[in-house]
């Protein structure tokens, strides 16, 4: 069965894209496109290049990008025979569109980074090379050397399609001076915050200490952050959202409403602002001492550290509900090998050698805040001594990944649709019950929509 038969009407779109890419290649051959010497140009218009060439695509900039450059430099020094071409692209949906088009056009990079939340769609569409046990074993990439939850998510239909680099969860930052003034420290450590009342009590105490707010979170112009808060609470209630690859909705309306009602309490009691934006607003409230807590991703560590030095710490997001296993919204960056048209172009051995080198160097990666998926790094003494990173390492075990669906994952329609609803609850514009109904309508609408690939 070819991909066209497998995906019904999708074959028309795939074939159209192939014709489009073929046309692009023809134009380039006639000199109609410039820049074919760079990696992206080669991916769309050229052959795979000499066997020594290894193309690597990723979306890392800022602090992550700086750490990656360091890791790549170490690889280049030890692998003089490999010509590593690393290409940085703008993060978000356009990155995945380019990766998909390049792969459908038979000009993919040998290695690319994906968010694990995007993996089910990429794998189901036949865009990724499945790494066999023998291929993984040949490079020491054995199952026992990866964080279990991340590796479980790297499989699709029982086959391994990704090699996880990290877990990046939704966590809780706190300002040490505010926590001390609020009486929330015992022997220098934050008191127990688990439970719906304990967490709100802690924010009330922090508000009393700051005179402004107890906590903060990006509540406007950041639907993904709103999604992460709701998804953490919803999963702690033991609820699922969709099944059958996202085609069947199994949303628990009672759990959805309970999670939303808890979110509303935070702003109704004026413990957090309902209008903090993601461009420094929510973070600044913490770093200026106007809020004692910040609910955000661990990837903000460097920004907070730059302002507060050692006057802050991070812990796992509290267990508010205990109806299900501990859960916090999370995703993982992972290495994938996009499907190439031939073994010569795939260069599996060279690609996996590169991946192994990056994983061996992943202590550098953790300095940006991410939890290493490579267990030799996670179990190392230097990582266990790394603060505050080591304080929330357990969050990887409770990682609540997005549901497997084409409309889910990083920078997805699901984040936008649900995040917008959560924002209205923050502002008190809609009741939790009506918000849950809107969420159900949104996911039902998405589930009925045909996947684009």
């Amino acid at each position: 069965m070819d991909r066209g038969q497998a995906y019904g009407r999708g074959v028309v779109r795939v074939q159209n894209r192939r014709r489009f890419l073929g046309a692009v290649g023809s134009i380039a051959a006639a000199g109609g496109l410039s820049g074919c010497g760079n990696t992206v140009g080669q991916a769309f218009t050229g052959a795979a290049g000499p066997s020594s060439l290894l193309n690597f695509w990723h979306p890392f900039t800022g602090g992550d990008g700086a750490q990656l450059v360091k890791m790549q430099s170490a690889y280049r020094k030890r692998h003089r025979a490999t010509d590593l071409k690393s290409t940085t692209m703008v993060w978000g949906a356009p990155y995945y569109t380019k990766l998909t088009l390049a792969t459908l056009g038979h000009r993919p990079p040998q290695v690319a980074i994906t968010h694990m939340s995007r993996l089910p769609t990429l794998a189901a569409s036949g865009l990724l090379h499945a790494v066999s046990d023998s291929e993984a074993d040949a490079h020491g990439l054995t199952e026992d050397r990866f964080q279990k939850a991340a590796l479980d998510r790297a499989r699709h239909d029982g086959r391994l399609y990704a090699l996880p680099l990290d877990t990046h969860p939704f966590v809780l930052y706190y300002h040490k001076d505010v926590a001390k003034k609020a009486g929330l420290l015992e022997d220098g450590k934050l008191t127990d915050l688990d439970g719906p009342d304990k967490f709100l009590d802690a924010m009330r105490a922090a508000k009393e200490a700051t005179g402004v707010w107890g906590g903060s979170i990006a509540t406007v112009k950041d639907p993904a952050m709103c999604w992460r808060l709701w998804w953490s609470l919803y999963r702690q209630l033991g609820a699922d959202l969709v099944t059958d690859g996202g085609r069947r909705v199994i949303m628990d309306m009672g759990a959805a409403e309970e999670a939303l009602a808890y979110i509303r309490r935070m702003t109704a009691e004026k413990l957090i602002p309902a209008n903090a934006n993601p461009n420094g607003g929510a973070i600044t409230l913490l770093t200026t001492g106007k809020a004692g807590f910040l609910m955000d991703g661990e990837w903000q560590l460097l920004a907070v550290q730059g302002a507060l030095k050692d006057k802050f710490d991070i812990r796992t997001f509290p267990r508010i509900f205990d109806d299900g296993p501990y859960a916090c919204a999370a995703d993982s960056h992972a290495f994938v090998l996009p499907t190439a048209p031939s073994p010569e172009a795939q260069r599996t051995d060279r690609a996996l050698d590169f991946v192994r080198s990056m994983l061996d160097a992943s202590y550098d990666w953790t300095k940006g805040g991410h939890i290493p998926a490579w267990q030799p790094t996670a179990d190392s003494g230097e990582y266990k001594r790394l603060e505050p990173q080591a304080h929330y390492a357990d969050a990887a075990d409770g990682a609540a990944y997005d549901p497997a669906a084409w409309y889910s994952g990083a920078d997805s329609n699901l984040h936008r649709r649900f995040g917008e609803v959560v924002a209205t609850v923050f502002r008190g514009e809609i009741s939790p019950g009506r918000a849950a109904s809107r969420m159900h309508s949104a996911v039902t609408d998405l589930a009925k929509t045909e996947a684009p690939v």
Side-chain angles (χ1 to χ4, degrees), residues 173-184 201-216 270-273 284-294 308:
Y173 295 73
Y174 66 93
H175 194 302
K176 288 182 179 179
D177 290 348
V178 174
K180 182 178 180 180
K181 186 177 179 181
L184 296 172
D201 286 345
M203 285 208 283
R204 290 187 190 100
K207 177 173 179 168
E208 183 72 20
T210 66
V212 188
W213 300 106
S216 67
K270 300 188 184 305
L271 300 176
I272 67 172
T284 301
L285 290 177
L286 178 81
T287 58
T288 57
K290 294 180 180 177
F293 297 99
L294 169 68
L308 285 178

Side-chain angles (χ1 to χ4, degrees), residues 93-113:
Y95 171 75
Y96 291 101
T97 299
K98 289 174 183 176
L99 186 61
T100 298
L101 288 173
T103 305
L104 291 175
H106 295 169
R107 274 87 168 176
Q110 278 74 41
V111 185
I113 288 290

Side-chain angles (χ1 to χ4, degrees), residues 16-26 44 101-102 104-106:
N16 284 343
R17 286 181 178 179
R18 284 176 174 156
R19 285 197 292 269
F20 164 73
L21 290 163
V24 170
S26 299
F44 278 98
L101 288 173
L104 291 175
H106 295 169

